[in-house]
Amino acid sequence: MRPIPLILLLASLLSACATGNDPSRSRQIAQSGALKVHPGLLGQEVPSELQPATPVVAAAETGEKPMRMDEEGLRTQRSVYFDLDQAAIKADYDPILQAHARYLASHPQTRVRIEGHADERGSSGYNERLGLKRAQSVRATLLGHGAGSTQVTVKTWGKRKPKLLGRNEEAWAENRRADVIYEQDAGK
């Protein structure tokens, strides 16, 4: 008879423990009748009563809130957030900027100011330039989607107007942004 290697013995003991009838390891769902599955998961058409009231753009992988694309979304989704030391607009913000640009194109009397911001790290001069680059990136995107050049101006605040005070990643991430400020908006 050959001795059983210690690793095989430990592995069999661990698997026996893991597959035991420990109630904390498994949960059963009480359900009567047939299991109901959302039709969208099955590749089928989703009935209107199961669809969201307004289209929502997927949230950024960083855990940001989803962006609403309705009239309320245009009023509430006015900040574009950036990565550290970056002025490139993330793809997640393109749909909301398209919606703002469409609104501006259909309301030529409306004017917006894009205010660029940076977090507190870095010199004042560096953050002023970075805030300006961020504002210019948002402006260029709005113009590219149909907003008029006279409708969109830019301003930089650098690190002077933080949205969230603090010396941690949460505050810094909230302050790396550009805000769309409606200056003249008779339609809203």
Side-chain angles (χ1 to χ4, degrees):
M1 185 164 141
R2 289 178 29 182
I4 299 175
L6 184 57
I7 293 179
L8 288 177
L9 181 61
L10 287 174
S12 65
L13 285 172
L14 288 174
S15 67
C17 290
T19 59
N21 290 333
D22 182 3
S24 67
R25 292 202 172 267
S26 64
R27 294 184 181 171
Q28 295 181 354
I29 300 172
Q31 178 176 339
S32 61
L35 180 63
K36 295 180 182 178
V37 178
H38 191 281
L41 294 174
L42 301 173
Q44 299 172 352
E45 186 175 334
V46 179
S48 61
E49 63 269 11
L50 294 178
Q51 293 180 0
T54 58
V56 174
V57 177
E61 292 180 18
T62 59
E64 296 171 7
K65 296 177 185 173
M67 291 182 270
R68 299 176 65 84
M69 298 302 294
D70 58 358
E71 283 282 325
E72 178 186 341
L74 287 177
R75 289 190 298 272
T76 61
Q77 294 296 322
R78 295 192 181 179
S79 293
V80 175
Y81 294 94
F82 297 87
D83 290 330
L84 179 64
D85 294 328
Q86 298 296 313
I89 295 174
K90 298 175 191 174
D92 290 345
Y93 292 104
D94 198 58
I96 196 67
L97 292 176
Q98 284 180 15
H100 281 289
R102 278 193 304 272
Y103 182 85
L104 290 168
S106 64
H107 297 85
Q109 79 284 0
T110 303
R111 305 286 183 260
V112 295
R113 181 179 64 253
I114 311 301
E115 295 184 349
H117 300 270
D119 65 37
E120 67 179 352
R121 297 171 292 179
S123 70
S124 293
Y126 175 79
N127 285 326
E128 293 286 321
R129 289 187 301 276
L130 183 56
L132 182 60
K133 285 180 187 177
R134 289 173 174 167
Q136 290 170 334
S137 291
V138 171
R139 181 180 191 272
T141 302
L142 290 173
L143 296 181
H145 290 310
S149 62
T150 60
Q151 292 179 282
V152 187
T153 59
V154 296
K155 180 175 181 71
T156 182
W157 288 104
K159 60 184 177 180
R160 291 178 289 159
K161 286 186 116 179
K163 191 176 202 177
L164 184 63
L165 295 176
R167 301 189 118 213
N168 55 48
E169 187 53 45
E170 179 186 5
W172 294 328
E174 192 69 26
N175 295 327
R176 293 190 304 258
R177 71 189 193 284
D179 295 324
V180 179
I181 310 294
Y182 280 78
E183 296 178 326
Q184 177 182 340
D185 193 355
K188 287 192 183 180

